[in-house]
Amino acid sequence: MMTMQKLEQKLQKADRKQAGLYLLCNFIALMLISAYSAMMFSPTVLTILPEGGDSRKQIVAIFILALFGCVIFTVYAASLFFRKKSRKLGILLALGASKRKLSPGLFREVLTLSMTSSLAGILAGFPFTWGLWNLFRVLIVDSSDMRLKFDFRCLTVSFLFFALTVTFSCATAYRCLRKTNIMDIIHEEHKNEPVREPKKYCGLLGILILFAGAVTGYNAPGVYMALFDAYPPAWINLFFAPVFAGLYMIMLHTVVHGWGFRKKHSYQHLISRSMMKFQGRQTANNLLVCTVLIAGGCFALFYLPMLGTGQILETQERSFDYAFHYRADQNVPTKQEILTLADNYGLKLKDWHSGEYLLLGLDGVVQVEDKPDSRAYHYEYRELKQQGKFLSESCFNRMTGQTIDIAPGCYRAVSNESETGTYYLELESTELTNMVTRAKTPIRFDGFVHNEMLLDAIGYYILDDADYEAAANKLTDEWRGNLLWFNADGADSYSFANALLKQFITGFNSECETIYAYDPVEKIAANENGNIYWGDTDEISKISFSNPDSYDFRAYWTYMPKIRILDQHDCLRNFSVFLMMFLFISIVCLTAAFVISHTRCQTIALNNRYVFDDLKRLGASPAFLLSEIRSQCGSVFKTPMLVGSSAMFLLYSLMMLGNDGKLTREESAGLLVCLAAVAAIASALYAVYRLTVRKVAQTLGVR
């Protein structure tokens, strides 16, 4: 005898494909969020990425995009599941079952599916992260900084997302049971969701709104700071909101009108376009989500070439293989000791150049917060603003082979050929301060000189010889420094370079165990004003001679030398955590976009299976049906890729241009590498598209 319970079980069994799809969607969404949050909270990552730095901000921004995409993905999966479930519920209601009697079984099934898939996804996120991270270590680069550690506070994000998923599933089930018309429930899965047909100019208007939103959002923080003398609040990011409106308009135009010119072939792919159009709301939402995820994946992936290309080019074009700078009171290896060490490695050295510089105080205007932890700030003049490293014009000419003549009472700053990235240089000083005698020397800025070997995060300046001698009067070795440059005679030796670096480091005392942001001039000024210098309390300013191979030491040590062969060979290792983190984020976002696109194509085809059956009965050839499948899947895959990657490439170009008003050669090379990365993503997407077309054709019985 067939009971209601057995009938429910049979209907659930008939729904196993839809249940499996729902399980898969929830599992993937929770796994990706769990994996991403595990990386964001990992001490391995947080130790390398400076707090408040651009890298962390970019990671958080991409996480918000991924979170937005996964939320829409799970909402869509739940809605699709209940659209298919509605027919079975309608049958039971038609057979006399009450909603009260059906609700326990329905909620039990929903809770079981959503909780099982979500918890499995959360748990799978950790081995997924660990496996992918260690695969990177094996295949790409490994270092002591890359031992992955988990901070299980990341589960807070995962369980919040879990709660959202379960709550929405239960709410959708309740909404489904609230319906009163049995026939509406039975035919729910066949209902279309067409959108009101937009005007033909909707797509172009959307593109304009997208660009306007990107430009407005990018410039809003700077405008806010200029108008209110305060750091911009979080709500300033709302100026990016038009970007999403523009994206939605572009997706809507794609679904309803498409982008081709069809005057001659107005009926071409009419069926595939109509299937997308009559489910326009769902399709537009999915295209929007995929566009956002692909944009986030490109944003993460673009970070890598923009980070590394400039350094690779700079390293290759140095005029010297070795460039050391150090305080004059430190016991570093002498020229003879370096030659002796080189002999041990069978290496000859040549082109020796040496010189000295002074550490002097520069005056200037500083930005000061009105109150602790306040957004508002004002500007104050300080006699001691920051340190600067000053060479005499004769020393500069001898070291570089150039011929410059500095006018008395003037100074020049050392920059690259394009004179970009000079934010750390003080170009408005009116006097120099001898930090021992406190004697003042009137001075004014008189332009730039160019030399790649004298670029660092503190900044070098050039003085007239007479002004240099006056500023150096009674200056102790603590405030003096030496330069030593030379080349390898023939092929260089990595082992020698590494040994020389270690020997060089052992010659420094603990006073030099500082990062380049630790400014002794700024420290003295703070202490004389009764304040505690930030560098004496902030952990970010601490590095250790005991760990000279760490990223922090190699990237931030004040006296880190430029050694071409080390910088070339260790580039990947030094930036390994950055590389792995952003590559991981890109894979997470792009995987989610690929899965959503694949699922959406199958859904459109399955929801319109009866259309393909009718076409077969009318005599449509397999080639025609396959062409319609390709057309439909092509729009789902192609549009998000074109819009997402193009928008992100444009944004990165604007960011590079906005930094200093021009694109340098290094930035242009990085953007070309970004284009190559887009081509690689497009190739992977095309492979998924081919797989999807084949899968949809098999499902619809098209051979």
Side-chain angles (χ1 to χ4, degrees), residues 69 295 569 615 619:
H569 283 73
L615 289 171

Side-chain angles (χ1 to χ4, degrees), residues 289-402:
V289 170
C290 290
T291 301
V292 170
L293 287 172
I294 289 175
C298 289
F299 191 75
L301 196 58
F302 288 175
Y303 184 84
L304 304 177
M306 299 310 298
L307 177 70
T309 303
Q311 181 179 357
I312 292 172
L313 290 175
E314 184 273 331
T315 303
Q316 290 176 342
E317 296 176 357
R318 291 176 188 168
S319 51
F320 289 87
D321 295 328
Y322 295 81
F324 294 88
H325 63 104
Y326 51 93
R327 247 170 55 175
D329 59 350
Q330 302 302 296
N331 187 28
V332 300
T334 63
K335 176 180 177 180
Q336 187 56 50
E337 290 172 335
I338 295 173
L339 287 171
T340 301
L341 181 64
D343 286 338
N344 295 336
Y345 288 90
L347 184 67
K348 299 297 182 181
L349 304 176
K350 63 178 183 178
D351 302 331
W352 293 84
H353 289 67
S354 61
E356 66 172 25
Y357 63 86
L358 308 176
L359 275 176
L360 301 174
L362 290 158
D363 68 330
V365 176
V366 297
Q367 186 175 286
V368 182
E369 293 181 0
D370 291 345
K371 297 178 182 178
D373 300 324
S374 170
R375 292 186 181 278
Y377 57 81
H378 62 279
Y379 294 95
E380 293 180 2
Y381 171 78
R382 299 282 173 83
E383 289 188 357
L384 294 177
K385 177 186 178 182
Q386 66 183 62
Q387 66 176 327
K389 296 188 287 189
F390 286 83
L391 282 73
S392 66
E393 60 184 1
S394 58
C395 177
F396 177 82
N397 291 338
R398 184 178 69 254
M399 295 287 292
T400 65
Q402 299 183 37

Side-chain angles (χ1 to χ4, degrees), residues 616 621-623 625-626 694-703:
K616 288 179 186 177
S621 66
L625 296 176
L626 189 59
R694 187 164 62 249
K695 184 70 174 176
V696 171
Q698 290 174 357
T699 303
L700 296 175
V702 178
R703 296 289 184 264

Side-chain angles (χ1 to χ4, degrees), residues 23-165:
L23 283 168
L24 178 65
C25 292
N26 272 355
F27 175 80
I28 290 175
L30 267 296
M31 184 182 73
L32 295 178
I33 292 300
S34 177
Y36 201 142
S37 57
M39 291 294 299
M40 282 185 61
F41 284 84
S42 171
T44 305
V45 174
L46 296 181
T47 300
I48 298 299
L49 303 183
E51 186 174 356
D54 290 340
S55 302
R56 280 205 194 185
K57 291 177 182 177
Q58 290 181 21
I59 287 173
V60 172
I62 300 170
F63 179 68
I64 292 172
L65 292 178
L67 188 63
F68 169 76
C70 288
V71 167
I72 300 299
F73 186 36
T74 53
V75 168
Y76 164 69
S79 301
L80 180 63
F81 174 72
F82 281 103
R83 281 172 65 88
K84 295 295 181 182
K85 191 75 178 173
S86 62
R87 185 169 182 269
K88 312 302 185 292
L89 292 174
I91 291 173
L92 293 174
L93 289 171
L95 290 174
S98 66
K99 294 181 180 180
R100 179 174 294 181
K101 190 171 183 179
L102 290 177
S103 60
L106 178 62
F107 280 105
R108 184 168 52 250
E109 180 184 7
V110 170
L111 285 172
T112 301
L113 291 175
S114 59
M115 293 181 69
T116 301
S117 59
S118 298
L119 290 174
I122 291 173
L123 295 176
F126 291 96
F128 175 74
T129 304
W130 185 88
L132 192 57
W133 184 270
N134 284 282
L135 182 64
F136 289 158
R137 292 183 67 178
V138 172
L139 298 180
I140 302 178
V141 62
D142 194 9
S143 72
S144 59
D145 293 324
M146 288 190 62
R147 288 190 291 270
L148 184 62
K149 300 175 184 176
F150 290 118
D151 183 344
F152 289 98
R153 287 181 296 177
C154 66
L155 289 172
T156 304
V157 178
S158 300
F159 279 110
L160 285 174
F161 195 84
F162 164 78
L164 175 67
T165 301

Side-chain angles (χ1 to χ4, degrees), residues 478-504:
E478 179 186 356
W479 298 96
R480 293 176 180 267
N482 293 325
L483 299 171
L484 182 62
W485 301 348
F486 55 88
N487 283 317
D489 190 359
D492 204 350
S493 167
Y494 179 89
S495 299
F496 162 73
N498 197 44
L500 178 57
L501 174 63
K502 300 296 174 61
Q503 188 172 335
F504 180 72

Side-chain angles (χ1 to χ4, degrees), residues 158-184:
S158 300
F159 279 110
L160 285 174
F161 195 84
F162 164 78
L164 175 67
T165 301
V166 175
T167 301
F168 184 82
S169 299
C170 292
T172 308
Y174 176 76
R175 175 177 171 273
C176 187
L177 283 173
R178 289 273 295 174
K179 293 184 178 180
T180 57
N181 191 315
I182 293 177
M183 296 307 295
D184 283 346

Side-chain angles (χ1 to χ4, degrees), residues 235-260:
W235 59 259
I236 203 73
N237 292 312
L238 291 175
F239 281 95
F240 279 109
V243 169
F244 295 96
L247 277 176
Y248 186 78
M249 294 173 69
I250 294 171
M251 299 304 120
L252 201 60
H253 183 93
T254 302
V255 170
V256 177
H257 299 297
W259 293 93

Side-chain angles (χ1 to χ4, degrees), residues 61 141 144 192 232 264 307 436 461 475 559 641 673 702:
V141 62
S144 59
N192 291 314
K264 293 184 178 179
L307 177 70
V436 174
Y461 307 87
L475 203 62
Y559 300 98
M641 180 64 203
V673 178
V702 178

